[in-house]
Amino acid sequence: MNSMIQVHRLHKQFHKHQVLKDIGLSVEEGQVVAIIGPSGSGKSTLLRCLNYLEKPDSGAIELGGRTIQLEKAGKEDILYLRRNTAMVFQQFNLFKHKTALENVMIGLTDVQKKSKAEARQLADHYLDKVGLANRRDYFPKHLSGGQQQRVAIARAMALNPKVILLDEPTSALDPEVVNDVLKVIRTAAGEGRTMLIVSHEMGFVYEIADKVIFMDQGRIVEQGTPRELYNTPQQERTRQFLSKVNVGDHYTI
């Protein structure tokens, strides 16, 4: 497999607080990589740096064969990162005044410059894939949280990015709808999409991830397959974290 995205020595600080420290990671094409760790460990900030929603202080990203030096990234570099990554947020980030269909279409027309007819066809296709064809003309306020998140995932998939970044995609949802969203993510993974997922759904991570990265205090402490990391962690900090979370209930979707 070829590396789709590689991160080299990424650093980020807010004021005097070092949030990310010398981050290095590699995600292969078609691989699903999950990032776990305690709150405040830098997981979400890392995803936001990859999409340049947060400006890293230093480091480099290789994405799809192009290397970008982050501390001196220009407008074209930033546009390249944003066109080739798609972010799924905790709070959905849908446009309230646009229907589900229009929310999926907007990136296709405004960023990828597709015609409205082509964008509508793609949006219809992906809303159908996430089970929301019958909600295409609904505004977000008329959709449940789980449905809104499925629209957001459809929007990300429709853009066909090199990498989909999912930041705690189920954390804002009621427990009874979490599984609907996880099924959609698993379907996307089954299509061979490259994904980086920050999640606290430990059983789901075990089921879906090819690789798991454990972060603490802005650093990558350990990484490996789910079986390696969950069953035989090598670092004491990893063992401490896993002993306090429920990793026994593996989702069967």
Side-chain angles (χ1 to χ4, degrees):
M1 285 195 295
N2 298 318
S3 289
M4 179 59 77
I5 184 168
Q6 292 190 56
V7 179
H8 304 281
R9 309 208 67 176
L10 191 152
H11 291 261
K12 173 64 182 175
Q13 94 178 34
F14 293 115
H15 305 294
K16 295 184 178 181
H17 177 53
Q18 195 78 22
V19 181
L20 296 174
K21 307 168 186 175
D22 202 28
I23 297 293
L25 63 88
S26 177
V27 182
E28 306 298 326
E29 186 175 353
Q31 196 173 42
V32 178
V33 175
I35 305 174
I36 64 172
S39 297
S41 57
K43 307 183 299 295
S44 295
T45 301
L46 173 57
L47 289 196
R48 293 176 68 85
C49 283
L50 300 183
N51 193 246
Y52 222 84
L53 291 171
E54 296 286 356
K55 180 183 177 183
D57 297 316
S58 62
I61 292 176
E62 292 181 48
L63 176 61
R66 176 170 172 172
T67 301
I68 296 171
Q69 300 298 328
L70 295 169
E71 68 271 27
K72 55 183 181 182
K75 287 184 179 179
E76 285 189 11
D77 294 321
I78 295 168
L79 190 59
Y80 178 82
L81 286 175
R82 290 181 178 167
R83 280 181 171 167
N84 288 284
T85 59
M87 193 90 167
V88 177
F89 299 90
Q90 296 178 37
Q91 299 293 340
F92 326 133
N93 282 32
L94 299 180
F95 292 101
K96 295 179 180 179
H97 63 287
K98 293 185 180 295
T99 64
L101 183 74
E102 290 168 338
N103 266 284
V104 179
M105 285 178 61
I106 191 167
L108 296 167
T109 55
D110 290 11
V111 178
Q112 296 188 350
K113 306 302 180 185
K114 295 185 185 299
S115 69
K116 283 192 175 182
E118 185 180 2
R120 183 180 298 273
Q121 185 177 21
L122 282 166
D124 271 329
H125 172 73
Y126 282 101
L127 285 172
D128 185 48
K129 283 185 76 72
V130 301
L132 291 175
N134 62 342
R135 296 289 190 270
R136 63 195 293 276
D137 296 321
Y138 284 50
F139 291 94
K141 67 180 180 180
H142 297 131
L143 298 171
S144 70
Q147 289 170 337
Q148 289 185 61
Q149 190 62 295
R150 283 151 62 194
V151 172
I153 295 169
R155 177 178 60 187
M157 290 195 298
L159 293 168
N160 197 27
K162 295 185 184 302
V163 184
I164 297 178
L165 309 170
L166 299 104
D167 184 15
E168 295 277 17
T170 60
S171 67
L173 302 179
D174 293 330
E176 64 266 25
V177 301
V178 165
N179 232 29
D180 292 337
V181 173
L182 296 182
K183 285 180 183 178
V184 170
I185 296 170
R186 184 161 186 167
T187 297
E191 294 174 352
R193 294 179 182 271
T194 308
M195 296 195 287
L196 256 172
I197 304 174
V198 170
S199 181
H200 64 277
E201 301 284 349
M202 305 301 289
F204 179 67
V205 164
Y206 189 95
E207 293 276 344
I208 197 173
D210 300 301
K211 180 166 68 176
V212 182
I213 292 171
F214 172 63
M215 288 184 65
D216 186 45
Q217 297 184 353
R219 296 185 184 277
I220 292 177
V221 176
E222 188 171 354
Q223 55 186 304
T225 67
R227 184 179 294 275
E228 289 167 346
L229 205 75
Y230 283 35
N231 297 344
T232 56
Q234 301 300 301
Q235 301 299 319
E236 178 59 28
R237 182 66 189 96
T238 314
R239 288 193 286 271
Q240 289 174 356
F241 174 78
L242 291 173
S243 72
K244 295 177 181 177
V245 297
N246 181 15
V247 298
D249 296 329
H250 298 159
Y251 286 89
T252 303
I253 300 176

